Amino acid sequence: MSTPPAAREIIERLSELYGRPKLVPSGDPVTELVLTILSQNTSDRNSGRAFVQLLRRYRSWAEVMTAPEDEVAAAIAVGGLARQKAPRIQAALRAIAERSPDWDLAFLRELPLEEARRWLRSLPGVGPKTAACVLLFALGRPAMPVDTHVERVAKRLGIVPEKASAEAAHELLEAWVDPSDYYAFHMSLIKHGRRICTARAPRCGECPLADSCSAFQQGAVLTIR
């Protein structure tokens, strides 16, 4: 069985293909939270369009929170799964409004990391990925979001056991990758999962990690060369 390369080596190899990603935190945790919910099980393009439609329809998060659920679902329909995402967004916004009426979550930047993570995870519908996205992308805090692409690539490489749950994958990767590399690792694996290490018929012949990929070495993936 192949041994996966170290996290930093993975980043360096993939950076030759995709460039080295650089984190620029948005500073807006509520927006990041809503964007992450909209991004579930859809493309960035469609989730982005849904977010734009939401902003066109409503002038504030308070308006989104109090609008009829069907109306919010109609506004974000272009992103897919609107009937599921609309109530999730509204429930999360209501919980935020109860705890922080001014919608300012900047205090999460100053809380101990695990306390900030617990605060976010206590919001309805917020799991490990969504909490990590808010911490990393909005606040620049060291957290590892693990989406389907990151999880798939990590499992194929042998970093994460094949049968590990998504939550276990978060914990394993946060322990395995140096916190200073979380963003670069996350973004590099997402790009790789979308472009080469795809769910179906990955192009292993183009992969700079194939020589140390457990799945490829064992013939466990169908490839396009």
Side-chain angles (χ1 to χ4, degrees):
M1 182 174 179
S2 300
T3 301
R8 195 156 290 174
E9 183 181 349
I10 290 172
I11 294 168
E12 293 306 322
R13 290 195 200 181
L14 294 182
S15 292
E16 294 181 9
L17 282 180
Y18 311 121
R20 177 80 180 210
K22 182 179 180 181
L23 175 61
V24 180
S26 69
D28 190 341
V30 179
T31 292
E32 191 61 51
L33 175 64
V34 173
L35 276 169
T36 304
I37 294 173
L38 288 172
S39 74
Q40 294 166 356
N41 299 300
T42 192
S43 66
D44 286 348
R45 180 173 180 269
N46 285 341
S47 62
R49 291 168 65 195
F51 184 72
V52 168
Q53 292 301 317
L54 195 66
L55 294 185
R56 285 177 176 170
R57 179 66 181 81
Y58 303 104
R59 294 173 297 178
S60 68
W61 295 126
E63 285 192 7
V64 176
M65 178 184 69
T66 57
E69 183 182 304
D70 287 351
E71 189 179 276
V72 175
I76 63 173
V78 68
L81 298 176
R83 294 292 178 185
Q84 290 78 37
K85 294 176 183 179
R88 288 177 195 167
I89 290 169
Q90 290 187 301
L93 291 176
R94 282 193 292 270
I96 291 171
E98 289 173 2
R99 304 176 199 184
S100 185
D102 60 358
W103 303 96
D104 185 359
L105 301 186
F107 66 89
L108 293 174
R109 188 179 288 110
E110 307 305 324
L111 287 179
L113 180 61
E114 290 310 311
E115 188 175 338
R117 194 195 306 269
R118 283 194 298 273
W119 194 96
L120 288 166
R121 290 288 306 273
S122 71
L123 298 174
V126 174
K129 175 199 166 185
T130 301
C133 285
V134 173
L135 290 169
L136 182 65
F137 300 137
L139 301 170
R141 304 205 65 181
M144 171 68 77
V146 178
D147 77 339
T148 55
H149 299 293
V150 173
E151 183 177 350
R152 179 176 65 253
V153 176
K155 286 182 174 180
R156 284 178 175 169
L157 288 171
I159 302 166
V160 174
E162 181 61 34
K163 294 185 178 180
S165 66
E167 187 156 355
H170 276 86
E171 294 175 0
L172 288 166
L173 288 173
E174 281 204 341
W176 192 70
V177 179
D178 187 272
S180 65
D181 291 328
Y182 283 165
Y183 179 75
F185 186 86
H186 168 82
M187 294 303 299
S188 296
L189 262 65
I190 281 185
K191 290 177 181 178
H192 198 54
R194 287 174 175 167
R195 301 180 189 182
I196 291 179
C197 193
T198 52
R200 298 180 181 180
R203 301 196 303 276
C204 299
E206 302 173 31
C207 178
L209 304 173
D211 63 342
S212 51
C213 174
S214 176
F216 176 66
Q217 296 299 326
Q218 293 179 37
V221 289
L222 297 174
T223 66
I224 296 175
R225 293 181 180 274

